[in-house]
Every structure is written in structure tokens, then in C-alpha cells.
Amino acid sequence: MKEFEQKAGHLAQPSPGLGSVSEARLASMLDTAVDGIVVIDERGTILAFNKACEKLFGYSAAEMVGRNVKSLMPRRYADEHDGYLTHYRDTGERRIIGIGREVEGMHSDGTIMPVELSVGEAKTPDGRQFIGILRDLRARRETEDRMRDLQSQLIHMARASAIDEMGSALAHELNQPLTALMLYLDAVQRAAAKEWKAGDMRAQALSNAVREAQRAAGIVQRMRGFLDRGDQRRRLVDLRKLLDEALDLTRMGRRSARVAIKRHDDPDLPQVEADPIQMQQIFVNLLRNAFEAVQGVDKATIDIETRRDGSWVQVVIGDNGKGIPAAAMDDLFKVFSSSKRKGMGLGLAISRSIAQSHGGDLSVDPGGQGRGARFQLTLPLGEGIAGDGADD
């Protein structure tokens, strides 16, 4: 019994006559406990270190027994620990004994981890000893963090859904007054044509007003189409036209005013079989990202290229921003991985899934070192169209 008491740090004072049965029971309790149990003396020397502690900290009991317990703590705790023990010995004031609290432990590999610590005191013939029970909080913290993230994303998605509905209603409401405005302007223009001479500034101003009203109506119609959740079907589409419409949607606002758009379109680009709404969604996502990437950049430029490569059509959208950091590449196309403060982490993930559902893909050259990022959408041509190209 004495040998075990020395190893276990006199965790219990057995009644006379219990002998090896009590010793075995105590050893079994230590080794089968789910939580870590560490026993120290008044100087902080470790007297017992159970199997759960071995798993938690990555040290064996043989390594730790006889060492100071502060070797299991980060430096900011370790430097103060001996002072706490001295203060308690001198004053008897309890600061942690009998009170559970969250602290930080340090794994053998240097990793800092959250643990819940409860400390009890035992008086033995060898002096006071302290029994610490430690519970690993990493899994609970990860679950809590994940739940907070999911809650935040759900709130954000609910707001996005509300904005979607508001946008659809707004586009519908604006369509009627814009149509009426164009009719009134057209009537005035016809009446004025009989009185105003050619080159009259008033006639030119009125013509400009008609053109801008038509442009506004076109933007509203495109927005209604973009927000449409109705039946989506694939058909032959001109990607260049969809890019034009996506540019109209994304250039609204001041942030695009000073951004130069460079187009390099293949004049013979064949049509592809695709869902136009989904293609427009990809283009809007990529263009919005490009506009954000060049904010604050001198001579901000976005390059858009369309080309044919054998039986494939490619759309490349690049910018002259700072590029994508290497650390962000692994999660770039994953859901809920946005690095933007207001981002949902859905745009690129959905865009790639749309491209792949069309038999293509969405890839990226991250750029960096003076080069901006370049996203490439690749889509297959229809069998008939691809076959026509092969015969050229």
C-alpha cells in the first residue's frame, strides 16, 4: 500500500485492513477516469498523472511524475502558478480550489488547448496535496464555434432571401413607370419633331432622355430575369450577350465608374447549350469579385475574353488586383468559406457546381506578385456544333 500511495500521491487514506483491494480499486479509478486527473504537492510537483492526462497532454506518466505542473501550462500561466501556491500556503486564501474554471493547457507539441479545471485539496501525512480534474474543451469549443457560424450564415441567408424578394418586387414596380415614361417621351419626341429644326439642342436632349429611359428599362428587365426562380431550361445561348447583360448589372454604382473593361471576344464564338439564368449567375459572381479586387488599384482593369478551344468554349475574367492569397486557395470553392466580412461563401461554390453540372468546370489562376486572379469558365459545345468545328 505504501508503494501505491507514493505513486498516487496519497489520493486517499484507506481504512485499516483494506490492503491491496483498496489499492487496486484506487488504481482502477485513476486509469479508467474519462477526465484527466493530476495530483501535485505544495511545491507544484506532479505526484500522479492518469491515462486520460497522458492522452490529453501527449506525455506519459513516467515523463511527468516528479516534474513541476507548470510544464503543462502556457508561459503566461506557468510564470504565475508558483506564486499562487505560495500565496495559498501563506494566507489560506482560495482562488481556484473548489471552483471550476476554464484555463489553457499546453500539449507536448506546443499546442495551446482549452481545458476545464476543478481543483480539490487533500491533507496527507506528507502535507497538503491538490487534485486537479481536467476536461478537454476542444470538441465543445469547435461545436460552439460551428453552431455560431451556422447561425450567422442562416441569418445572412434569410436576409439575402428577403432582399431577393424585395428586388423582384422592386423590379416589377419600376417596370410600369419606366414603360409609361418611355411612352410619354416618345409622344413628346414625335410632336417636337414637327416644330424643332434639325440639330436643335432640345431635340438632342430629348433623344438622350429616351435612350437612358430605354437603358433603365433594359436593366430592370435583366434584373427580373436574374431574380426569376421559375422553370429553368437549357437552350442555345450566346455567352457574349449574357456577359453584356451581367456587366450592366454589376457596373451599377460608383465603384465601377473608374474601372476599365477590356473585351477580347472571338467574333465566331459558337453558341453553347446552357441555362441562361445560371450562366448569368456565374458571370455576375465573377464580375462582382473582380470589381471588388481592383478597388483602390491604380488604373483598375478587368479583362474579359471569350474563345473557342476545340470542342470547348472558354470565358476568362481577370483583373489587375493583388491576386488570391495561397492560404485561401484550399477553401476557395467550398461553401461557407468566404473571407469577406459580408460574404456568405456561396458564390464561387455555386458557380463551380453550375459549371460542372453543364459538363464543364470553373478554375482559377490565383495570380499574386503583381498579377491579379484569372477565373476560367469552360463549357462543352453541343455534339452538332463541336462536330461542325472538327470539319473546318
Side-chain angles (χ1 to χ4, degrees):
M1 185 62 195
K2 290 183 179 179
E3 181 180 358
F4 177 77
E5 287 181 343
Q6 290 173 355
K7 291 180 180 178
H10 300 285
L11 279 178
Q13 290 297 313
S15 300
L18 289 181
S20 59
V21 174
S22 177
E23 178 181 325
R25 184 181 297 121
L26 188 55
S28 177
M29 289 172 60
L30 279 174
D31 286 343
T32 59
V34 174
D35 295 327
I37 299 176
V38 60
V39 182
I40 63 172
D41 62 16
E42 290 182 307
R43 294 178 297 278
T45 303
I46 295 176
L47 305 174
F49 196 79
N50 75 340
K51 290 187 179 300
C53 270
E54 291 180 328
K55 182 179 179 181
L56 177 61
F57 290 100
Y59 294 106
S60 67
E63 290 178 283
M64 295 309 299
V65 171
R67 292 175 62 180
N68 194 293
V69 71
K70 64 185 181 183
S71 59
L72 300 174
M73 306 174 185
R75 180 175 294 277
R76 61 179 176 277
Y77 290 123
D79 292 343
E80 300 173 350
H81 186 260
D82 288 342
Y84 290 151
L85 290 175
T86 301
H87 177 80
Y88 179 62
R89 280 200 311 267
D90 295 342
T91 66
E93 180 185 354
R94 296 187 174 191
R95 293 184 176 178
I96 187 173
I97 296 173
I99 303 172
R101 61 184 294 185
E102 292 188 11
V103 297
E104 291 182 341
M106 186 170 66
H107 193 272
S108 60
D109 62 8
T111 302
I112 306 301
M113 54 192 178
V115 295
E116 184 177 39
L117 172 65
S118 299
V119 180
E121 180 184 6
K123 293 183 179 180
T124 75
D126 295 330
R128 282 182 294 197
Q129 295 175 359
F130 304 97
I131 303 99
I133 300 176
L134 302 106
R135 178 168 297 171
D136 189 352
L137 295 180
R138 284 174 293 185
R140 190 173 83 184
R141 287 279 181 88
E142 289 175 2
T143 301
E144 291 173 352
D145 290 344
R146 182 60 177 164
M147 290 300 295
R148 279 194 294 269
D149 288 343
L150 287 174
Q151 184 180 33
S152 176
Q153 296 294 346
L154 287 171
I155 292 171
H156 198 158
M157 290 178 72
R159 292 176 62 189
S161 178
I163 291 171
D164 188 3
E165 294 177 6
M166 291 168 59
S168 182
L170 183 63
H172 176 74
E173 293 298 324
L174 287 175
N175 189 56
Q176 292 181 343
L178 280 172
T179 301
L181 177 62
M182 286 190 294
L183 290 174
Y184 288 135
L185 286 172
D186 186 57
V188 171
Q189 194 174 36
R190 287 198 305 269
K194 301 175 182 179
E195 301 179 9
W196 293 344
K197 296 179 181 179
D200 192 305
M201 291 182 62
R202 292 173 296 177
Q204 184 61 42
L206 186 58
S207 177
N208 291 341
V210 171
R211 185 174 65 253
E212 290 303 312
Q214 290 173 338
R215 179 174 175 271
I219 290 174
V220 169
Q221 287 296 331
R222 289 170 190 145
M223 184 176 292
R224 290 184 67 184
F226 184 71
L227 295 172
D228 183 21
R229 295 183 181 180
D231 188 21
Q232 298 177 357
R233 297 180 180 178
R234 298 184 186 183
R235 55 183 173 83
L236 287 177
V237 295
D238 186 343
L239 294 180
R240 293 167 299 184
K241 182 179 178 181
L242 293 179
L243 278 166
D244 290 337
E245 295 173 352
L247 269 171
D248 276 343
L249 289 171
T250 52
R251 294 188 76 170
M252 290 186 293
R254 297 183 194 176
R255 66 178 184 176
S256 64
R258 298 183 180 179
V259 180
I261 306 295
K262 294 184 179 181
R263 294 286 294 266
H264 310 277
D265 287 321
D266 181 348
D268 299 320
L269 189 75
Q271 293 183 324
V272 298
E273 186 176 353
D275 184 319
I277 299 299
Q278 291 184 343
M279 288 299 107
Q280 200 175 68
Q281 183 175 358
I282 293 177
F283 295 150
V284 167
N285 281 329
L286 296 182
L287 287 168
R288 287 181 61 195
N289 288 343
F291 276 116
E292 291 181 5
V294 297
Q295 293 306 298
V297 174
D298 187 33
K299 297 181 179 179
T301 305
I302 293 175
D303 290 289
I304 302 172
E305 180 181 2
T306 58
R307 62 194 181 209
R308 177 174 179 171
D309 183 9
S311 58
W312 301 87
V313 166
Q314 297 173 341
V315 177
V316 181
I317 298 178
D319 59 72
N320 65 339
K322 297 180 180 179
I324 301 171
M329 284 299 297
D330 288 343
D331 296 328
L332 191 64
F333 291 100
K334 293 181 180 178
V335 176
F336 299 144
S337 61
S338 176
S339 60
K340 303 174 187 176
R341 185 176 64 86
K342 297 182 180 180
M344 294 175 63
L346 293 173
L348 289 177
I350 291 175
S351 295
R352 172 174 271 185
S353 68
I354 290 173
Q356 292 176 343
S357 72
H358 281 71
D361 200 4
L362 179 64
S363 58
V364 62
D365 173 357
Q369 298 182 345
R371 295 187 304 113
R374 289 172 60 84
F375 286 86
Q376 177 173 298
L377 171 66
T378 303
L379 295 171
L381 293 173
E383 292 183 3
I385 300 174
D388 293 342
D391 295 335
D392 291 344

